[in-house]
Amino acid sequence: MKKIALKSMVFLALMFMGTGLASTTHKEDKTKPEHPTVRIALLLDTSNSMDGLINQAKSQLWDIVNQFTYAKCGNEGRPRLKIALYQYGNNDLAPEEGYIQQVLGFSSDLDEISAKLFSLTTNGGEEYCGQVIHRSMKQLDWGKNPDDLKMIFIAGNEPFTQGRKDFREAVLNAKESDVIVNTIFCGTYTLGINTHWQEGARLGGGEYMAIDHNRQVVHEKTPYDEIIIKLNKRLNNTYVSYGSKGADRMAVQAQQDAEAMELQEAVAVKRAVSKSSAYYNNSGWDLVDASSREDFDLDGVRKETLPETLRGKSDREIKAYLDEKREERRKIQAEIQQTNLKRETYLKDLQKNEAGELEKAILEAIKKQASKKNLYWE
């Protein structure tokens, strides 16, 4: 079939989050109790007819992440968020692999998730739902914490029965591993039932949902959008790269801002709001986030990997500079949050609902299933 290239831009939504320091700078503190983690594996059909689905995923990632800022654990803390991404049903993928690819393992790096989403193109295909579910269970590290909420969201529009792997076996195996399988059929509700998408969700202990994947969400412009976008530019100036990949990762941050803006201004606004939350943590390349950790050791950072303006500074001078940037960031993030509250009130007064089809489906399922793990929304 004719290949349809998607715009090479993107932003999703939602976790939306810390990337851990290099082994030379710290080790995980195993003495502290872990907060529950919400692990979401997105299995997206990237065959020829799924352009709308992929575009919704790109534009609605940040809505999903932003909703997690209202999530609470039973102990009053915030759950962690990790997202994995698979594509299936694309003829550009290896046939011996069942036209399936792990695009990203579980990650809390929002910029990485965004970049991977924007890299997706559609073509083909052969959609093997049972096989991609089986592959995600086999390849991903789902963790061993019984308090974690583990979920698969598989979205597509072809019969759930395609492929050699029986979807019933794959779904039941996931359920036995405490992984909930939710199905999102891109088409009419009845057709999804007739093609076994509902059965897949029922056997997997999850929700069956049908969406209009081609629906265009109209975002209302508000007087606060430009303010948030300007604050986001100031926020970017508080990041201090370090390490062998620091400069490259800072460039990715800027690129994902640009991708979001090109998609829609409202998407860029929502991304900026996500960046003002605790879920946007870049300790793997940003020295401000890294130095906020209790076990951070500046001696473990090679000075030659710092920005040129810091390389000749003493440790004391570097720490003072980081403290200054941290306080500046805190104030900007607070201002973004406060401005966004005004934006949300403005939209509410206009009675404008900006929620997209994919976003609504995912969030409704998450909130319903989270209660089983003592997670709730404020």
Side-chain angles (χ1 to χ4, degrees), residues 56 60 210-213 215 217 355-362:
Q56 284 201 25
Q60 293 164 28
I211 68 171
D212 178 1
H213 59 295
R215 176 176 174 263
V217 178
E357 295 274 330
L358 184 65
E359 168 204 347
K360 286 193 296 183
I362 291 177

Side-chain angles (χ1 to χ4, degrees), residues 88-89 95 97-100 125-135 154 158-170 195-197:
Y88 73 101
E97 297 294 329
Y99 304 101
I100 294 168
E126 299 291 335
E127 296 98 309
Y128 302 151
C129 295
Q131 192 165 342
V132 71
I133 292 171
H134 172 75
R135 184 78 59 81
I154 180 170
E158 291 295 327
F160 214 65
T161 51
Q162 289 186 3
R164 290 176 294 179
K165 186 68 178 180
D166 188 336
F167 79 86
R168 298 173 183 86
E169 179 185 351
T195 52
H196 298 278
W197 284 77

Side-chain angles (χ1 to χ4, degrees), residues 10-65:
V10 34
F11 83 97
L12 123 31
L14 254 159
M15 302 177 134
F16 178 95
M17 318 194 251
T19 58
L21 290 168
S23 59
T24 56
T25 56
H26 80 274
K27 293 183 179 179
E28 186 78 13
D29 185 354
K30 299 297 184 182
T31 64
K32 295 182 179 180
E34 288 188 4
H35 280 195
T37 298
V38 178
R39 299 178 188 269
I40 299 174
L42 295 175
L43 318 182
L44 302 180
D45 178 353
T46 57
S47 63
N48 239 6
S49 54
M50 290 292 103
D51 300 81
L53 172 68
I54 305 308
N55 281 329
Q56 284 201 25
K58 292 176 182 179
S59 63
Q60 293 164 28
L61 167 64
W62 307 114
D63 296 283
I64 296 170
V65 174

Side-chain angles (χ1 to χ4, degrees), residues 283-339:
S283 60
W285 64 267
D286 167 49
L287 205 56
V288 177
D289 280 339
S291 62
S292 298
R293 298 183 64 97
E294 293 180 4
D295 55 355
F296 173 75
D297 182 6
L298 186 57
D299 290 337
V301 178
R302 290 181 297 141
K303 298 299 192 298
E304 64 269 23
T305 69
L306 294 176
E308 193 170 342
T309 54
L310 292 181
R311 292 176 192 173
K313 303 286 187 182
S314 67
D315 284 0
R316 184 175 181 178
E317 289 173 321
I318 292 174
K319 288 177 181 178
Y321 179 80
L322 295 177
D323 288 342
E324 180 182 330
K325 287 296 183 181
R326 184 178 298 106
E327 180 60 17
E328 181 184 356
R329 183 181 301 177
R330 184 192 66 78
K331 290 179 179 179
I332 295 172
Q333 288 177 324
E335 193 171 350
I336 290 175
Q337 291 286 334
Q338 292 164 6
T339 306

Side-chain angles (χ1 to χ4, degrees), residues 70-116:
Y70 303 104
K72 283 285 190 75
C73 311
N75 61 3
E76 296 301 313
R78 300 287 185 191
R80 298 175 178 178
L81 177 63
K82 290 183 178 291
I83 297 176
L85 179 62
Y86 278 76
Q87 63 168 323
Y88 73 101
N90 190 316
N91 280 358
D92 286 338
L93 304 177
E96 62 271 19
E97 297 294 329
Y99 304 101
I100 294 168
Q101 179 189 41
Q102 182 190 93
V103 181
L104 180 66
F106 280 123
S107 174
S108 58
D109 186 330
L110 292 181
D111 288 338
E112 183 180 32
I113 296 166
S114 177
K116 293 297 185 182

Side-chain angles (χ1 to χ4, degrees), residues 158-373:
E158 291 295 327
F160 214 65
T161 51
Q162 289 186 3
R164 290 176 294 179
K165 186 68 178 180
D166 188 336
F167 79 86
R168 298 173 183 86
E169 179 185 351
V171 166
L172 290 173
N173 285 341
K175 187 177 181 181
E176 289 175 2
S177 298
D178 197 28
V179 177
I180 301 168
V181 178
N182 300 281
T183 64
I184 303 173
F185 181 69
C186 300
T188 66
Y189 193 87
T190 301
L191 183 58
I193 293 175
N194 294 339
T195 52
H196 298 278
W197 284 77
Q198 184 185 58
E199 183 182 0
R202 179 177 58 80
L203 293 175
E207 301 295 314
Y208 161 65
M209 298 153 281
I211 68 171
D212 178 1
H213 59 295
N214 290 318
R215 176 176 174 263
Q216 297 295 315
V217 178
V218 178
H219 296 280
E220 186 76 17
K221 188 174 179 61
T222 82
Y224 306 101
D225 296 351
E226 188 61 31
I227 298 173
I228 293 175
I229 289 172
K230 288 180 178 178
L231 286 169
N232 180 64
K233 292 179 180 178
R234 289 173 51 198
L235 180 64
N236 285 353
N237 291 330
T238 69
Y239 285 85
V240 181
S241 65
Y242 81 97
S244 59
K245 298 182 179 179
D248 289 342
R249 294 309 310 278
M250 182 172 281
V252 170
Q253 179 190 61
Q255 177 64 24
Q256 293 314 301
D257 282 353
E259 299 279 22
M261 179 63 81
E262 189 175 349
L263 199 61
Q264 283 193 49
E265 184 178 89
V267 174
V269 170
K270 293 174 182 180
R271 171 174 160 81
V273 173
S274 292
K275 289 170 66 178
S276 71
S277 76
Y279 284 105
Y280 190 75
N281 186 294
N282 296 289
S283 60
W285 64 267
D286 167 49
L287 205 56
V288 177
D289 280 339
S291 62
S292 298
R293 298 183 64 97
E294 293 180 4
D295 55 355
F296 173 75
D297 182 6
L298 186 57
D299 290 337
V301 178
R302 290 181 297 141
K303 298 299 192 298
E304 64 269 23
T305 69
L306 294 176
E308 193 170 342
T309 54
L310 292 181
R311 292 176 192 173
K313 303 286 187 182
S314 67
D315 284 0
R316 184 175 181 178
E317 289 173 321
I318 292 174
K319 288 177 181 178
Y321 179 80
L322 295 177
D323 288 342
E324 180 182 330
K325 287 296 183 181
R326 184 178 298 106
E327 180 60 17
E328 181 184 356
R329 183 181 301 177
R330 184 192 66 78
K331 290 179 179 179
I332 295 172
Q333 288 177 324
E335 193 171 350
I336 290 175
Q337 291 286 334
Q338 292 164 6
T339 306
N340 187 56
L341 287 176
K342 296 177 182 178
R343 179 179 182 274
E344 290 180 345
T345 300
Y346 180 89
L347 292 171
K348 185 177 180 180
D349 290 343
L350 289 179
Q351 296 184 331
K352 295 290 185 179
N353 184 358
E354 293 186 331
E357 295 274 330
L358 184 65
E359 168 204 347
K360 286 193 296 183
I362 291 177
L363 285 174
E364 286 176 5
I366 290 173
K367 290 181 178 181
K368 182 175 182 179
Q369 293 158 18
S371 60
K372 301 174 184 178
K373 297 292 184 178

